[in-house]
């Protein structure tokens, strides 16, 4: 097939050539006297992406989902009760991980497509008179539905309830793309992975732990070995890792941090907001519905689009991929077949998105979904033109 | 700047990742016993791209324009008279090279935007009663105007005139993209470069010489050293080169040949025709004119678009590049400011082109040229949809 | 610093350019219809490297050490009793992981530098009248001491004791380099990582599980999420992974498998034996001792060398690295300062090793350890010359 | 074949990973407004490598040998008389190029293995009463024989003869490695290529022209097109090139310049001197002769070694390559079979060289040439140890 694949799943995202180049390198002795400079630079810069000056960053050769486990086993003890909100496939899997690891999970069920209700969290915490709930588990940006929740409001609810539970936040599809204010929001464990806003291949779990979280690491009694942050705390202090690190990914992360911090995290968030708005305008021009009903919760990193009754979103994905070399995201779990997703995070620009929107339009027509060719593109063009710098 | 640059100049073209990877390699001893396998494979496969079973291929570490000189100094002698058609900037430079190298050039001037007239060539050759004209110099695809000429007709005209002049054809922006039939068309020197249809970085001159051309190499008396094909004939026969070859480019060319020949040259040409037609439909939807007036001559590798009176094509290029990260081709020579060009050759697909057309539309509006956003995109979409496999 | 670093730690090993190139690629949708071809090819070929036709392979985005945990939590239940042999730092850490994960570990302590005693295992198992021991944990090749143990003998001892315990074998520094016969040896869990014999960057845990091991996966009750092989069994069957896979590493592994299987695993082992013997002859010429006292147990992938009393092996490493750009392996745990290590596994050849031996000689002299310059090199040269093909 | 090829021909040299990475990049519009920054940076820094503040640098997509032609056709007119010294294959080919391009060449024949005699040049120039000689053509470092000549002495001889001829110096295997003082030595055309001291793949011709040379460019009447420096002077002034530049090579050159200038040219020369001395000590330990008889002329970038009577240097090369994956340089022209060469320039260090010397020793023994294994290595080790920083 000639030309580039258009990769518009919400992760893995497009890896900039700079980062691919940085990862293409000979291996090194990870116990050499030269090695700590790399480690310390990365771990020193990472907290800036999480919006914290007090937190400590960790990187593990693992997936983003493994960071759920890292956060859980380092903060909790077997049988602990936690409160979680389930409003999409990834919050569902976060709950599932907590349950598998032996936690009792109180679940606030929210319609898939809706955001977290801080009021519900506050009620649940206030009802916990015994203060048995040790942690609140939420997903900042539900990648499955394209919904961004208000974590500052979650923290405010926890404070209003005067509840001391830890706040564990999955920011896999937000950190490095959307505004994330770990300190201001009182996040105790911020969870990320390499393959979204960090613009890298998957394979690196990234975690940031605040002061209260670090205290919890000392007392948590979950059995743990690979994920034991105590080993990282000890070895990272000297610039090393408890096991052979994924050097290629470390060099990639070094480059990604250079790119993100040079742009500035506020600019990164603004860029995602502008690009995402163009996609939303295209969806409106197509007269289709976003899975995220409330516009104020629509994500700047991913848009989940509901296909009309009778249509099959998996067929849309299949046509896009095979006929136009365009990879769209699948509907996950109960949304399978009902939505497809356009990822718009990471290393992207207007023309890449316009090409993807043009391909989506052709695909929709092919799938028998009535949209006017060029209509979504034109709506996005008008927005991008008027907002270009 | 986030995301990929949209490179739509008519060369250099986008280099596929496969080729970039193939070029990223350690150097080798170019005089080793293992080396000839690489040389012989490349030189054995190259003629297939030129449409010849009788011609001999050559590669030099040089630009495509250097192949003009290679063809001239290896086929002609100082003071020789040649006939050339000038219908654009590259045919102009081909003429210029011949003049600088000491040839007397009879020039058939053709309006820039028109194709070669075989009838004019026939007349000129018939008028050459003394048979002083030693060669006919033409450009198959004028990259500056987006005009493809009919080389089979040129050959027919030469035959009709019963004239024995050599036929030197610049196919820099056609060979590897458009149909090129060296044997059938009686081309004696076919001239190409690495950075267009071969989908590689610039830096390799590629030449194919037919049997009559190879005879001329023996008798031409132009002074020559670097360009002397006799040295190549001798060393290539054993699998080596007369000087240190550009190994990175050779490995890139090996990969490019694998890609082109796996697709098949007829399929390559059909792909370019289909992609090019989408661009032409977009231009029509914008109600703009192509520089190539006669639709039957409009090139499948590059479209030169005339801006309306009062507009400045250089401003269009400048906006596209700075505001949308879109590189459009400049108008060259007398066309500077009057046309801009969209290259559509090499490693491309529909969505890449639709992104570029979308960017061009926004740019045109920004430049005050009245086009409807989405109009060209929609025209191209309709074409691509209906012709997709 | 000019020139290449000489990387002679026993992992990470040198990554061949072919593999680095294969890893340098754009990301893809890991849920596309094209993706399963990659997964199935890799998982189909991996068992050949482990010497099994009955086992099932798994790859996780993790370190090799994480595969200890994967094997343990998928085969055992909290509080289970296991038997382990500790004869070096990595078997120590394997024991440590088992203990942290809640197992009761009966430890057979063996002098660091000695191999596993099958007789001791047989005795311990025979003494376990209640058949409380659920698994035997051993390290095939102790990377810390350069000792290879006889896993066939371990299996024979287990059989002789008529004990049904599972056999979990760390083959991190053997699999892909030394002979490994999972089926013939009755290994239930074979544990490997990407950064040694597989010649890749760290970041991929590789595991192969035999039929009895797969049964254990169903009944083990250790809490697990990221490491739960049941999720892999389900998703791998359709060509996918339970979470975003590390695509770069998968493409690297694909290339590594192509290289290893083209050479043939028996040839790979013979190559390592020949290269390792040259290092041993150099050590003998230096009149130094290997940490592995019994020559029949000396590893073909790593040689740990004892420095004379009064010398500091860490100083040796420091001089080698800073003065000669040569990375030697550290002594680990109680061996720190007493031994340094030369890794000789993965993508290596005679001249690379001779350069490293020459550098080691210079370093030893610099460190005040009396060796004759050129002596070890000459001994290795004589061996390599006489055994070259 | 496992492990890395040991590339010890005197060009192409080993390309550092940094440079390979820098060359692995998407193509760009070479007529964009962003492009001149790259051009101007490179052309501004290049003269520093040539040791000139007055000269102007040029880069062409061509071989180093093409720069002979570039220098000749831009400085001379057809039929001009020039004086050249022939003391090896490359000075022979330089003479040959001049003759083919129409010059009358007065040749001072020097034994191959000897340096240029400044006295002979002075005599020849003094004898040229008519001042017919327009240029002196010499090779600074004869790559074929491993002889470095004294260009300062050549200039002094020219001055002593009060002769105004231009001085054209081939520095292909010296510039970027050895001391080169274009201004101090009064060199008018300094000729280099990318694949030696510049540590890049072949494919870029590099030239520096002094003020007197630039005057000659204006008056030279040799026919020229591709090589016409006047086009470069015009376009380079605005940051562009007269034809599509080899972008990959330009980015490689940018990185090479960063590396060389960070090290400092005096340090680069000192590094080559130190590394070369180790090779010479090895040759002495082998009791073999260098082709360069006078030690003061022995090159720091390449050593040509004479095989004993009865031995065949081509067999030595063949064994080294096939048995040990070691590429040694061939004897060229009349030296074929009588010498083999070890290149020691570019991106190298002690251990790489010691590995190559070890491989050469094994090869020599295999070829029946009596050397003691380890002897040359030990001699080089002693030197490198005592001079390491």
């Amino acid at each position: 097939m000639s030309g580039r694949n258009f990769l518009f799943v919400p992760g893995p995202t497009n890896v900039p050539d700079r980062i691919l180049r940085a990862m293409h390198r000979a291996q090194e002795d990870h116990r050499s006297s030269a090695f700590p400079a790399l480690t310390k630079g990365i771990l020193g810069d990472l907290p800036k992406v999480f919006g914290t000056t007090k937190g400590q960053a960790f990187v593990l050769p693992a997936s983003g989902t493994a960071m759920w486990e890292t956060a859980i086993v380092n903060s909790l003890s077997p049988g602990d009760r936690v409160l979680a909100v389930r409003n999409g496939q990834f919050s569902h899997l976060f709950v599932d991980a907590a349950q598998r690891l032996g936690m009792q999970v109180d679940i606030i069920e929210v319609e898939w497509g809706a955001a977290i209700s801080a009021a519900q969290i506050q009620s649940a915490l206030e009802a916990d008179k015994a203060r048995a709930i040790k942690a609140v588990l939420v997903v900042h940006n539900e990648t499955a539905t394209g919904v961004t929740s208000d974590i500052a409001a979650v923290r405010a609810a926890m404070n209003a309830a005067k509840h001391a539970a830890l706040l564990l936040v999955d920011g896999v599809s937000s950190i490095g793309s959307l505004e994330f204010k770990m300190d201001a929001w009182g996040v105790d464990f911020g969870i990320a992975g390499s393959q979204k806003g960090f613009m890298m291949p998957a394979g690196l779990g990234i975690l940031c732990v605040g002061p209260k979280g670090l205290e919890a690491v000392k007392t948590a009694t979950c059995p743990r070995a690979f994920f034991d942050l105590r080993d990282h705390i000890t070895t990272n202090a000297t610039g090393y890792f408890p096991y052979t690190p994924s050097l290629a990914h470390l060099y990639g992360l070094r480059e990604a941090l250079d790119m993100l911090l040079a742009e500035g995290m506020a600019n990164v968030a603004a860029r995602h907001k502008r690009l995402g708005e163009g996609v939303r305008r295209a969806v409106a021009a197509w007269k289709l519905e976003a899975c995220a009903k409330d516009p104020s919760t629509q994500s700047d990193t991913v848009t989940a689009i509901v296909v009309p009754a009778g249509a099959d979103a998996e067929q849309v994905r299949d046509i896009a991929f095979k006929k136009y070399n365009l990879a769209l995201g699948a509907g996950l779990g109960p949304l399978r077949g009902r939505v497809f997703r356009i990822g718009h995070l990471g290393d992207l620009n207007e023309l890449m998105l316009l090409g993807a929107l043009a391909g989506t339009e052709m695909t929709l027509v092919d799938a028998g979904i009535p949209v006017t060719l060029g209509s979504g593109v034109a709506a996005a063009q008008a927005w991008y033109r008027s907002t270009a710098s």
Side-chain angles (χ1 to χ4, degrees), chain A residues 9 50 84 99 144 213 224 246 257 261 308 321 332 336 383:
Chain A
V9 299
F50 285 76
Q99 289 172 331
R224 56 198 197 264
S246 179
L257 287 168
L261 298 176
F321 187 68
L332 298 177
R336 189 170 178 85
W383 167 252

Side-chain angles (χ1 to χ4, degrees), chain A residues 253-325:
Chain A
L253 181 55
R254 177 65 272 163
E255 195 77 11
L257 287 168
D258 288 346
M259 292 173 76
L260 289 170
L261 298 176
E263 184 173 1
M265 296 316 298
N267 293 331
V268 168
R271 170 166 54 84
H272 280 83
K273 182 172 289 298
R274 176 171 171 268
L275 290 177
E277 178 62 20
V279 175
R280 291 188 284 272
R281 291 185 179 217
V283 173
W286 297 335
K287 305 191 197 322
L288 292 177
E289 302 268 305
C291 181
K293 294 290 179 294
D294 178 349
S296 75
T297 68
Q298 290 174 346
S299 169
D300 288 326
T301 61
V302 53
T303 297
I305 299 163
V306 182
V307 296
D312 176 7
E314 281 304 290
Q315 189 202 2
V316 169
R317 278 195 356 112
D318 197 54
I319 293 170
F321 187 68
K322 291 186 179 149
K323 193 167 171 187
Y324 302 113
N325 206 2

Side-chain angles (χ1 to χ4, degrees), chain A residues 42-347:
Chain A
I42 288 171
L43 297 181
D45 281 340
L46 262 176
K48 300 173 193 170
V49 177
F50 285 76
T52 177
T53 60
K54 298 184 239 159
Q56 179 169 355
F58 299 92
V59 293
L60 281 83
S63 67
T65 56
M67 294 303 99
W68 292 332
E69 185 162 344
T70 305
I72 290 166
V73 299
N74 281 284
S75 60
L76 298 168
S77 298
D80 272 357
R81 207 167 137 202
V82 303
L83 176 68
V85 181
R86 176 153 60 190
N87 66 332
Q89 179 70 5
F90 291 96
S91 42
H92 166 66
L93 291 171
F94 196 0
V95 164
D96 181 59
Q99 289 172 331
R100 289 190 191 202
L101 295 167
M103 306 303 131
Q104 300 181 57
V105 187
D106 295 352
I107 306 174
I108 299 176
E109 300 284 358
V110 171
E111 189 192 3
W112 290 29
I116 294 170
S117 156
Q120 284 182 299
I121 289 176
Q122 185 172 341
S123 300
L125 293 177
E126 286 171 348
D128 175 33
K129 301 298 183 199
R131 292 313 189 234
I133 292 171
K134 300 300 178 200
V136 174
L137 279 56
V138 293
V139 171
H140 181 206
N141 188 74
E142 235 313 337
T143 322
T145 60
V147 167
T148 307
S149 290
D150 182 346
I151 302 301
V154 171
R155 165 50 64 196
M158 292 173 70
N159 290 346
K162 299 188 168 38
H163 200 292
L166 294 164
L167 178 56
L168 278 56
V169 179
D170 171 321
V172 172
S173 62
S174 67
I175 294 167
S177 305
L178 307 184
E179 181 181 69
F180 196 86
K181 297 285 179 195
M182 188 155 164
D183 283 351
W185 299 347
V187 175
D188 298 302
F189 286 79
I191 292 164
S194 53
Q195 78 276 15
K196 311 244 175 187
F198 286 99
M199 307 177 289
M200 290 170 56
L204 207 62
I206 302 172
L207 186 71
C208 208
V209 185
K212 209 170 119 195
L214 290 168
E215 285 306 307
V217 169
K218 298 177 189 166
T219 56
T221 64
C222 276
R224 56 198 197 264
F226 178 71
F227 293 121
D228 197 334
L229 290 183
R230 291 169 298 192
D231 297 335
H232 290 262
I233 290 168
T234 305
T235 54
N236 286 175
T238 58
Y240 297 97
F241 289 95
Y243 28 74
T244 315
S246 179
L247 194 78
H249 279 87
L250 290 184
Y251 276 102
L253 181 55
R254 177 65 272 163
E255 195 77 11
L257 287 168
D258 288 346
M259 292 173 76
L260 289 170
L261 298 176
E263 184 173 1
M265 296 316 298
N267 293 331
V268 168
R271 170 166 54 84
H272 280 83
K273 182 172 289 298
R274 176 171 171 268
L275 290 177
E277 178 62 20
V279 175
R280 291 188 284 272
R281 291 185 179 217
V283 173
W286 297 335
K287 305 191 197 322
L288 292 177
E289 302 268 305
C291 181
K293 294 290 179 294
D294 178 349
S296 75
T297 68
Q298 290 174 346
S299 169
D300 288 326
T301 61
V302 53
T303 297
I305 299 163
V306 182
V307 296
D312 176 7
E314 281 304 290
Q315 189 202 2
V316 169
R317 278 195 356 112
D318 197 54
I319 293 170
F321 187 68
K322 291 186 179 149
K323 193 167 171 187
Y324 302 113
N325 206 2
L326 167 64
L328 297 172
L332 298 177
L335 297 179
R336 189 170 178 85
R338 289 179 46 212
V339 311
F340 68 90
R341 297 177 294 152
I342 298 178
H344 34 85
L345 74 167
D347 187 51

